[in-house]
């Protein structure tokens, strides 16, 4: 019997204590604990790591304060488009969807792509048509709508932020400093089951006021999500940097090719992101049930189940 | 002065001598040589590796027998949707587009995404709107149409191949044996310039009769295309396997973390693909100007400029 392990995240970024009331902090921690409890139950019932991460991410998608599923941010056109991906390490199978609409749980659709098609990534209208054919649960626009995201969108719209047509160039250490606010709230989960098999899942609503069909790292295997026989990784942060460094796969590569431990590999991957100006973090688990959750941002909504079965959560740089 | 280097490919797969006439072989080799000559001229005029791979890929996109740009295959809806990506190793910048339509040279649009936006990957209608805003050259449907691709499409359509709704599952060593015909003709280029900087570019028309907005490896940084200060890689083959192994980035990871040479790293990446049932190949160049072009399929349309400046091409397993 391998050591069971489970970790979740609800996004990394500038999370200031001064901006979060005690009540709001309690709500966030409860959402993280709920996701952990749901995923942990799957693992304890001898469920697979894939089932555990899917269940945990569904719970996080349903929570309206994270930027995934219900509560996703708005695109420039005022739409809520969602991305998700998951990967099972044992079988090296993966599934992903990009800018789907009205899907209650995009991570479930990603799993259907993995199991019912020969492909890995389906995008846009085509992915929605596939969902319809599969009979996946959909919800009307109003289900996904939250006042907070709408206000964020109106604010970004009025300030012209996160558009592609201004003088902005590709992310670099210089531009990162003055960059527009990063989206916070991408969610993810990693797990190790009783057989020592690991899986990961990630889901997001993307960037507020994004235009031109921008695809970030979340639906991309190797960038936002990766799992093999060594480890499983779910990333969150300024997506373009995770794409340029193949961040999720990079953790596995450092373990396999450099012989690093999970925590050394995960830390070095985040250090590399820091080096090129990328902000964010990741959660990772290896096949021995070790968990690592490094980040270079001010905070990362995160949680894990510790060795004694206790659910612990963190928001700032506290050690958990 | 670094050693200049340039290589191109026009796709890997089942290429049988018996199915290619001497005349057709001559035409393919000439197309590869044309692309090499155009890219080489850029490098000899002290142009950057990025400019060289863009120029070479434009030439391959314009050639109607490869599955990229003009001559792209048809989706299930009878449309020609194209993907492309490029990356500059020195700056670690990248740009990519997925299922764009009517863009004469998708690789040029990918470069504009890299240079004019804060993002890396734009997809679908949004990418086309961005192209319009940038004033990128477009062509009517009839420019992209070829009788051969239309016949392939009608054939695939009538046989129900490459659809997502049949009993097919994710690629595996077992299913790969009996899989539907792989698309051949994705194009790509890698180069090392006078300063020892390397870049790569890849462009494709995707899979014949594909449905549901399937995205393959070509527009994905780390999967189909990658470049850093060590090497530049462009992949071609059954895309899903290249996504599952982060194939393009994997070559760089094996060099950096295992200390392998370019040719050892590239060979091991292809061996890994073989191991999981993935068919295809890649072209790679390192910052010392070495070139490697391994593949595990019957053939790969490919070419390189050798040390004496001669343009050499290969189609089958001949040593070039």
């Amino acid at each position: 019997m391998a050591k069971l392990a489970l970790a979740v995240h609800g996004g990394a970024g500038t999370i200031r204590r001064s901006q979060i009331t005690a009540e709001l902090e309690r709500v966030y921690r409860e959402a993280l604990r709920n996701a952990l409890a749901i995923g942990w139950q799957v693992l304890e019932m001898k469920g697979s790591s894939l089932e555990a991460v899917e269940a945990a991410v569904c719970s996080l998608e349903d929570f309206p304060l994270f930027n995934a599923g219900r509560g996703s941010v708005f695109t420039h056109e005022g739409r809520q488009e969602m991305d998700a991906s998951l990967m099972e390490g044992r079988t090296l199978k993966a599934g992903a969807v990009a800018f789907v609409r009205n899907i209650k749980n995009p991570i479930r659709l990603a799993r259907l792509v993995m199991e019912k098609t020969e492909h890995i990534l389906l995008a846009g209208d085509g992915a929605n048509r596939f969902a319809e054919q599969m009979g996946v649960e959909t919800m009307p626009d109003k289900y996904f709508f939250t006042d907070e995201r709408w206000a964020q969108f109106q604010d970004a719209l009025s300030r012209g932020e996160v558009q592609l047509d201004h003088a902005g160039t590709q992310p670099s250490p210089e531009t990162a400093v003055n960059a527009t606010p990063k989206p916070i709230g991408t969610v993810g989960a990693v797990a190790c089951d009783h057989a020592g098999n690991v899986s990961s899942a990630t889901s997001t609503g993307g960037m507020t006021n994004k235009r031109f069909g921008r695809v970030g790292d979340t639906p991309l295997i190797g960038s936002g999500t990766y799992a093999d026989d060594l480890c499983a990784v779910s990333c969150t942060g300024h997506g373009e940097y995770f794409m340029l460094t193949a961040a999720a796969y990079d953790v596995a590569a450092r373990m396999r090719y450099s012989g690093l431990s999970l925590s050394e590999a995960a830390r070095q991957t985040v250090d590399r992101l820091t080096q090129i100006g990328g902000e964010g973090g990741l959660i990772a688990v290896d096949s021995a049930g070790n968990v690592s959750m490094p980040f270079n941002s001010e905070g990362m909504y995160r949680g894990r189940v510790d060795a004694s079965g206790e659910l612990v959560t963190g928001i700032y740089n506290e050690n958990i």
Side-chain angles (χ1 to χ4, degrees), chain A:
Chain A
M1 283 279 288
K3 193 172 73 173
L4 300 183
L6 178 69
V8 299
H9 70 75
T14 305
I15 306 170
R16 298 226 168 82
R17 282 179 200 269
S18 60
Q19 293 170 335
I20 297 186
T21 63
E23 170 58 15
L24 193 55
E25 182 172 326
R26 195 192 59 73
V27 171
Y28 273 118
R29 289 186 190 272
E30 192 177 301
L32 293 165
R33 270 196 299 271
N34 282 346
L36 286 169
I38 287 166
W40 194 248
Q41 190 176 24
V42 172
L43 294 176
E44 286 200 311
M45 301 284 283
K46 297 275 174 66
S48 73
S49 56
L50 185 71
E51 288 160 354
V53 296
E54 184 188 0
V57 166
C58 278
S59 164
L60 296 165
E61 286 176 337
D62 292 344
F63 178 68
L65 294 188
F66 292 131
N67 176 25
R70 185 174 211 173
S72 287
V73 300
F74 291 88
T75 67
H76 184 70
E77 292 77 20
R79 301 203 300 200
Q80 287 168 300
E81 297 178 340
M82 300 166 282
D83 307 332
S85 67
L86 47 65
M87 187 161 184
E88 183 176 51
R90 180 179 64 84
T91 55
L92 213 71
K93 288 189 177 185
V97 291
F99 34 91
V100 293
R101 295 183 308 281
N102 298 102
I103 304 297
K104 179 171 180 284
N105 290 109
I107 202 69
R108 286 203 200 283
L109 185 57
R111 183 164 175 185
L112 287 170
V113 173
M114 170 180 144
E115 294 184 340
K116 302 294 185 189
T117 82
E118 294 178 301
H119 301 307
I120 292 174
L121 173 55
L122 301 184
D125 294 338
N128 267 91
R129 281 198 304 275
F130 171 69
E132 196 176 335
Q133 196 170 99
M134 290 286 125
V136 168
E137 187 177 9
T138 56
M139 293 298 250
D141 288 347
K142 68 175 188 226
Y143 167 82
F144 298 92
F145 183 95
T146 62
D147 290 331
E148 190 194 14
R149 297 301 187 196
W150 187 254
Q152 279 176 359
F153 168 54
Q154 293 300 326
D155 184 51
L157 205 57
S158 68
R159 292 192 287 162
E161 283 174 346
V162 198
Q163 297 187 2
L164 296 178
D165 47 351
H166 58 58
T169 54
Q170 195 111 129
S172 74
E174 296 72 41
T175 61
V177 176
N178 299 308
T180 49
K182 312 297 182 306
I184 300 181
T186 294
V187 306
V190 294
C192 176
D193 63 27
H194 64 285
N197 296 320
V198 297
S199 296
S200 59
T202 316
S203 182
T204 191
M207 297 177 82
T208 299
N209 198 23
K210 72 168 181 175
R211 293 183 71 178
F212 299 126
R214 176 256 187 187
V215 181
D217 65 319
T218 299
L220 307 186
I221 299 303
S223 300
T225 299
Y226 192 75
D228 61 18
D229 55 338
L230 287 179
C231 66
V233 183
S234 171
C235 299
T236 174
H238 196 152
E240 275 70 13
Y241 294 94
F242 290 76
M243 296 161 76
L244 293 174
T245 56
Y249 179 71
D250 189 55
V251 176
R254 288 177 191 268
M255 288 182 73
R256 190 177 305 278
Y257 304 143
S258 294
L260 299 186
S261 70
L262 178 80
S263 66
E264 290 167 337
R267 170 45 63 190
Q268 287 190 13
T269 294
V270 171
D271 288 347
R272 172 71 175 143
L273 285 166
T274 308
Q275 211 176 59
I276 65 166
E279 188 181 356
L282 60 86
I283 59 174
V285 63
D286 67 18
S287 57
N290 297 302
V291 169
S292 184
M293 303 191 281
F295 56 96
N296 65 12
S297 43
E298 279 192 37
M300 179 164 82
Y301 297 106
R302 64 201 185 280
R304 66 188 190 86
V305 184
D306 75 10
S308 66
E310 201 190 338
L311 313 183
V312 291
T313 62
I315 296 180
Y316 314 104
N317 62 354
E318 66 268 42
N319 212 351
I320 69 164

